[in-house]
Amino acid sequence: VRVTLELVDATTDDIVWTNTYDREMRDLLAMQSSIARDVAGQVSVELTPEELATLAQTRQVDPEVYETYLKGMFFVKQLDPESIMRGMEYLHETIAIDPREPLAYAGLALGYNTIGHGVSSHDAFPKAIAMAEKALELDELSGEAWAALAEAQLYYDWDWDKAEKTFQRAIQLSPSLDHAHAHYAYLLILQGRNEEAIAISEKARDLSPVDPLWAGFTSWLYLLEGQFDEAERVAEECLIFATTLDLCRYSLGQIYSAKGEYDKAVAVHEEIPQGDPFRNWSLGISYGFAGKHDQAQLVIDAMSVNSTPRDQFHIALAYAAMGDLDNAATWMNAAYESRADWLPWVVHPNSYGGAVEPLRDHATFQAIVDQMAIPAAQPNAR
């Protein structure tokens, strides 16, 4: 690889400095560091000790390793279970080629987080933490690893203070990580910092404007804030970019529920294909609100078989929407015990289309909220 640089005086068009860099492909990190140091010196930028430490990293990169890593990340980010597992296989292959490649471990951490958010095994998030920590052992300046660790601390450890510091570290090291901003926004809204949360979520959309996932994330934050028109607009944008991403329909239907438009919520949620977990997670609530209790019970029965933590949580919400508060409280406690990843956001009035509201004064629910010690649930949080 050859890179030639010229520094030109814009007022005179005189060439002030020029240099040519030649490296083998595996030495690209070393070349990048040399260029950065030289350019900083030529334009009189004083580098911080941490920036110098980052530039000192000149480990070799095997092109085969990096290509396999990129394949793995492509499939992990497709979000459907089959693609995620295929991506994880590529990442394990990356480690088999080079057991000291930190990006591969960080990628596996992201993959386990993604599994943890879906129809997960109960140990997905702990595995994500282990992989992130392994990546940081190999490269403590890996923004990807810090971001994956923060995500698990947020959705599984429920350690709000630690997660915030970890997210901030990830964004400091890798400011362009869209997923770090997106998940950090969900921590901020738990802290009662709603306007800041929406701004950070919009930042994730700016970083990756055609990724529908972040539109779905942002739409739901507008719902929590009670900005229903904006929430609906962004949810519809989500559907434009990905007609098959059912987080979009999940969010849009809950916006209708929060507005009291229950038939519209049911219609949107019934568009989610059979077999997609989002269908049951959505329809249990919307059927309950619409007074279609027999249909809601069928959805609950389906989710009760080999239920995942997120199934347990949505069973609780469906019972709450039907007005069956004791069953709702029982399943909500089960979701708490299994650390369902979406549980903490019940502190917000509009969450899950308002399904939590009938349950809010129940002693079991109040005890769960108290145990999670969510800042937004504390007096004067905002």
Side-chain angles (χ1 to χ4, degrees), residues 32-96:
Q32 175 181 316
S33 297
S34 296
I35 291 172
R37 281 195 301 267
D38 291 351
V39 170
Q42 291 296 326
V43 298
S44 301
V45 170
E46 184 174 349
L47 298 174
T48 66
E50 185 170 78
E51 288 168 337
L52 288 169
T54 301
L55 293 175
Q57 291 187 339
T58 57
R59 61 185 177 85
Q60 290 189 333
V61 178
D62 186 331
E64 180 187 3
V65 169
Y66 192 60
E67 182 177 338
T68 307
Y69 161 76
L70 289 178
K71 289 178 180 177
M73 295 307 295
F74 170 82
F75 285 108
V76 163
K77 292 180 179 180
Q78 300 307 303
L79 299 181
D80 65 278
E82 183 178 345
S83 294
I84 293 169
M85 297 313 299
R86 185 175 181 184
M88 299 289 273
E89 290 173 3
Y90 273 116
L91 292 167
H92 281 295
E93 182 181 336
T94 305
I95 290 171

Side-chain angles (χ1 to χ4, degrees), residues 57 102-103 106 135-136 139-147 170 173-174 177:
Q57 291 187 339
L103 281 176
L136 291 170
D139 180 7
E140 64 178 3
L141 300 178
S142 169
E144 291 84 354
W146 284 108
L173 291 168
S174 299
L177 283 181

Side-chain angles (χ1 to χ4, degrees), residues 42-294:
Q42 291 296 326
V43 298
S44 301
V45 170
E46 184 174 349
L47 298 174
T48 66
E50 185 170 78
E51 288 168 337
L52 288 169
T54 301
L55 293 175
Q57 291 187 339
T58 57
R59 61 185 177 85
Q60 290 189 333
V61 178
D62 186 331
E64 180 187 3
V65 169
Y66 192 60
E67 182 177 338
T68 307
Y69 161 76
L70 289 178
K71 289 178 180 177
M73 295 307 295
F74 170 82
F75 285 108
V76 163
K77 292 180 179 180
Q78 300 307 303
L79 299 181
D80 65 278
E82 183 178 345
S83 294
I84 293 169
M85 297 313 299
R86 185 175 181 184
M88 299 289 273
E89 290 173 3
Y90 273 116
L91 292 167
H92 281 295
E93 182 181 336
T94 305
I95 290 171
I97 300 170
D98 183 359
R100 297 190 60 78
E101 176 48 63
L103 281 176
Y105 292 101
L108 284 172
L110 179 63
Y112 281 122
N113 279 335
T114 306
I115 293 170
H117 288 305
V119 287
S120 65
S121 59
H122 291 257
D123 60 351
F125 285 115
K127 287 180 179 179
I129 292 171
M131 290 295 101
E133 289 176 342
K134 177 63 176 178
L136 291 170
E137 286 178 15
L138 296 170
D139 180 7
E140 64 178 3
L141 300 178
S142 169
E144 291 84 354
W146 284 108
L149 180 60
E151 192 176 334
Q153 290 170 341
L154 169 59
Y155 294 100
Y156 183 80
D157 286 343
W158 297 343
D159 190 329
W160 322 122
D161 292 339
K162 186 180 289 185
E164 177 164 22
K165 293 174 183 175
T166 309
F167 273 123
Q168 289 174 343
R169 181 64 169 154
I171 292 170
Q172 176 192 27
L173 291 168
S174 299
S176 62
L177 283 181
D178 52 353
H179 60 277
H181 289 82
H183 292 290
Y184 183 34
Y186 272 69
L187 171 61
L188 290 174
I189 208 159
L190 288 181
Q191 295 176 333
R193 297 153 65 181
N194 295 13
E195 291 183 7
E196 188 179 352
I198 289 175
I200 292 289
S201 191
E202 291 286 9
K203 173 68 172 177
R205 295 183 69 202
D206 289 342
L207 289 167
S208 189
V210 296
D211 191 330
L213 184 59
W214 309 141
F217 270 46
T218 306
S219 172
W220 212 71
L221 290 178
Y222 280 119
L223 167 63
L224 298 189
E225 180 67 359
Q227 297 185 40
F228 298 142
D229 290 344
E230 194 67 11
E232 187 173 343
R233 181 186 67 78
V234 177
E236 288 171 348
E237 286 181 8
C238 178
L239 285 169
I240 290 171
F241 287 109
T243 57
T244 60
L245 181 62
D246 291 311
L247 175 64
C248 308
R249 289 185 176 83
Y250 177 89
S251 180
L252 182 58
Q254 289 187 354
I255 295 163
Y256 291 139
S257 289
K259 295 167 66 176
E261 298 175 355
Y262 303 128
D263 290 340
K264 290 178 71 173
V266 168
V268 168
H269 287 159
E270 285 182 337
E271 293 175 2
I272 299 174
Q274 295 280 354
D276 188 319
F278 272 103
R279 182 179 175 87
N280 286 340
W281 297 339
S282 299
L283 280 172
I285 299 169
S286 54
Y287 281 151
F289 272 133
K292 300 181 177 183
H293 290 186
D294 289 343

Side-chain angles (χ1 to χ4, degrees), residues 20 28 161 165 175 238 288 315 331 352 375:
T20 298
L28 285 181
D161 292 339
K165 293 174 183 175
C238 178
I315 291 170
W331 281 97
Y352 307 103

Side-chain angles (χ1 to χ4, degrees), residues 266-380:
V266 168
V268 168
H269 287 159
E270 285 182 337
E271 293 175 2
I272 299 174
Q274 295 280 354
D276 188 319
F278 272 103
R279 182 179 175 87
N280 286 340
W281 297 339
S282 299
L283 280 172
I285 299 169
S286 54
Y287 281 151
F289 272 133
K292 300 181 177 183
H293 290 186
D294 289 343
Q295 290 166 274
Q297 189 62 55
L298 289 174
V299 173
I300 289 171
D301 292 343
M303 287 192 287
S304 300
V305 178
N306 299 321
S307 59
T308 68
R310 202 180 285 181
D311 288 329
Q312 295 165 0
F313 178 55
H314 285 88
I315 291 170
L317 295 173
Y319 274 126
M322 293 167 62
D324 186 344
L325 301 188
D326 287 337
N327 266 325
T330 297
W331 281 97
M332 190 69 73
N333 193 62
Y336 171 76
E337 293 294 336
S338 61
R339 306 190 80 78
D341 60 330
W342 283 4
L343 177 58
W345 289 267
V346 296
V347 298
H348 285 278
N350 297 309
S351 59
Y352 307 103
V356 181
E357 295 315 297
L359 191 60
R360 200 165 294 283
D361 293 331
H362 197 287
T364 298
F365 180 83
Q366 291 178 341
I368 289 170
V369 172
D370 289 344
Q371 290 173 68
M372 289 190 292
I374 299 168
Q378 306 306 312
N380 302 317

